[in-house]
Amino acid sequence: MLARLASKRHTLALKPPIRPRTAITARIPTCRTLSTNAGSTAGAPTASARVSTLFGVLMAVGVASTAYGVYQFYSTFTMWPPEVRGDLRAGIKAKNQGDLDLSARYLQRAWETAQTLPLSAFASEPHLKLSGIAVVLAEALEGTNRPQEAYDIYSAALLQLRAAKDLSGRERMRAVAISHKLGEMAEVYQQGPEEAEQWLTFAVEEVLRVLKDEANGGKEAVQNMGAPEGEAGSMLAELDLPWWVRKIDVAAPLEALGRFYANEGKNEYAVTLYLQAIGMLMQPPPNEKNASIEDRCRGAQLMNNLSDLMVRGPPPTNLKYAENWARQAQGVIEKTRTLPGAQKDVEGMALCEQTLAAVLYNLGALLEMGGKYDAAQRSFQESLEQAKKTGMRTGAMEARSALRRLERTAKASSPPGNAASDAGAKAA
């Protein structure tokens, strides 16, 4: 059976209250994750039985998460009830013009009005539309440094979705997306590991159910619960997704939960999730030789994350495995550059190029840890050039710092005579 939901509470008391931040975007390695980075939090989750059940299902059934990218608003307003249409139009217009305070006021009124209308007023997939209002409102609130209000709106929207019956697949995916967002907010605004874990775990658990229900081969997947780990990963990668789910939508919540467990020191769980997400992203579509540019670049990101995770393993194999994953990420990016259509996919290749700067830096750090200083210097230098090429100022600063560190190490380890000779040669 699938794991039980982490919590049956209808409301959540946030302790301490969320404090606004002017920026919540990740620092370098920005390109190392699919989503906003959060610092490690102290303490480990206690629901080990639930975690074990979840990962048993994940490895055996091989189906995964969804739709972080469904946070898109409809371009036409005719599908909305007349009672909310005007406020929605005004709210979206104000948002597009950069006036988030005004946008939030209009959208708040639209949200409150929508709660008074019968579901029949929204016609097909009413909860998709209701939650859409909540999403754009919460985004506007968070954009004006009111994260507590945004968190409450997301929570209310998710509560409605979980309480509703006979949801469509897309409506259930919206619940996954909002739960993923809540998990990230709980991490970013330091609401404690339990808070983040319950949201991120629900996102993965629910999509296991959704995709199992949607997949034609759901019964066969359940029968394979004793399959080896490698076969389980293949099942996930080869799963036929519904048309309304992109592979990156599947991989993002997996990555988020994997990153959470990595921060909590549960590396075995994190590795499982990363491997599943990588397999999903790198699997070519039917009748294609390669995955899309974006999916390959996202896969390289996760390979870099996995490399970082492998360093935490037992020596000496930790450095070997970490270096192997870093080089694999580098190889994926270099091959992606040569694929047909790569140069036309400007956004996808920008992601690859930024990822490469982080990969080269991490590879240099691994080589330095292994005592391969010359190779480390070359990798740091390549990272510096790549960071400068892609406009990553923080990445360039980190690479320069690493090069200076290697230079100091080399000077400290050189015999006095050699140091004097070197100095004389430079002077000459």
Side-chain angles (χ1 to χ4, degrees), residues 213-382:
D213 292 344
E214 294 289 336
N216 294 329
K219 292 183 179 180
E220 288 78 2
V222 174
Q223 292 171 357
N224 283 319
M225 289 192 70
E229 179 174 322
E231 295 180 19
S234 298
M235 282 190 291
L236 172 55
E238 295 171 3
L239 184 69
D240 289 332
L241 299 178
W243 64 267
W244 28 268
V245 180
R246 301 178 304 156
K247 287 197 292 183
I248 185 60
D249 299 332
V250 173
L254 281 170
E255 183 272 343
L257 185 58
R259 176 167 36 83
F260 169 82
Y261 283 126
N263 288 340
E264 292 297 308
K266 293 182 175 290
N267 293 351
E268 66 276 21
Y269 297 146
V271 168
T272 296
L273 285 158
Y274 283 157
L275 288 174
Q276 293 283 10
I278 290 169
M280 168 66 69
L281 290 167
M282 296 301 296
Q283 178 73 13
N287 303 319
E288 297 287 343
K289 293 183 179 180
N290 296 288
S292 70
I293 301 299
E294 179 186 6
D295 288 341
R296 290 178 62 86
C297 295
R298 296 292 186 185
Q301 282 185 311
L302 285 184
M303 292 175 192
N304 194 39
N305 280 9
L306 192 54
S307 171
D308 181 63
L309 190 61
M310 288 295 177
V311 178
R312 309 179 194 183
T317 57
N318 60 334
L319 290 182
K320 176 183 176 182
Y321 294 146
E323 183 179 339
N324 286 344
W325 277 108
R327 292 195 182 279
Q328 188 165 343
Q330 181 182 6
V332 166
I333 295 170
E334 291 175 349
K335 182 179 178 180
T336 302
R337 284 171 164 174
T338 68
L339 294 180
Q343 300 308 314
K344 295 181 180 179
D345 190 346
V346 177
E347 184 176 351
M349 285 309 303
L351 175 62
C352 259
E353 298 297 341
Q354 291 177 352
T355 301
L356 182 58
V359 170
L360 290 169
Y361 180 89
N362 288 353
L363 182 58
L366 293 169
L367 292 167
E368 182 183 3
M369 291 170 65
K372 304 173 183 178
Y373 299 117
D374 290 341
Q377 183 181 29
R378 288 193 296 271
S379 191
F380 284 135
Q381 185 64 43
E382 290 174 0

Side-chain angles (χ1 to χ4, degrees), residues 165-177:
K165 297 180 180 180
D166 301 322
L167 295 177
S168 70
R170 293 203 300 171
E171 287 172 323
R172 293 173 70 185
M173 291 291 194
R174 178 60 57 80
V176 171

Side-chain angles (χ1 to χ4, degrees), residues 84-162:
V84 300
R85 196 177 299 164
D87 285 333
L88 284 178
R89 184 181 290 110
I92 297 300
K93 181 179 179 180
K95 182 179 180 182
N96 291 337
Q97 293 175 342
D99 192 341
L100 295 182
D101 286 312
L102 180 61
S103 175
R105 289 199 293 272
Y106 279 119
L107 294 172
Q108 181 71 47
R109 190 162 63 186
W111 170 247
E112 293 171 356
T113 301
Q115 303 305 306
T116 67
L117 301 176
L119 290 179
S120 59
F122 293 89
S124 62
E125 296 184 306
H127 290 286
L128 195 65
K129 297 169 185 173
L130 275 170
S131 61
I133 300 173
V135 166
V136 292
L137 169 59
E139 287 178 338
L141 290 169
E142 192 174 7
T144 57
N145 285 327
R146 293 146 71 186
Q148 179 69 68
E149 295 176 55
Y151 196 99
D152 292 342
I153 292 294
Y154 280 128
S155 299
L158 182 59
L159 177 62
Q160 288 186 353
L161 286 163
R162 293 177 64 173

Side-chain angles (χ1 to χ4, degrees), residues 15 58 97 180 185 250 300 347 384 387:
K15 300 178 181 180
L58 179 63
Q97 293 175 342
H180 179 188
M185 289 186 73
V250 173
E347 184 176 351
L384 172 60

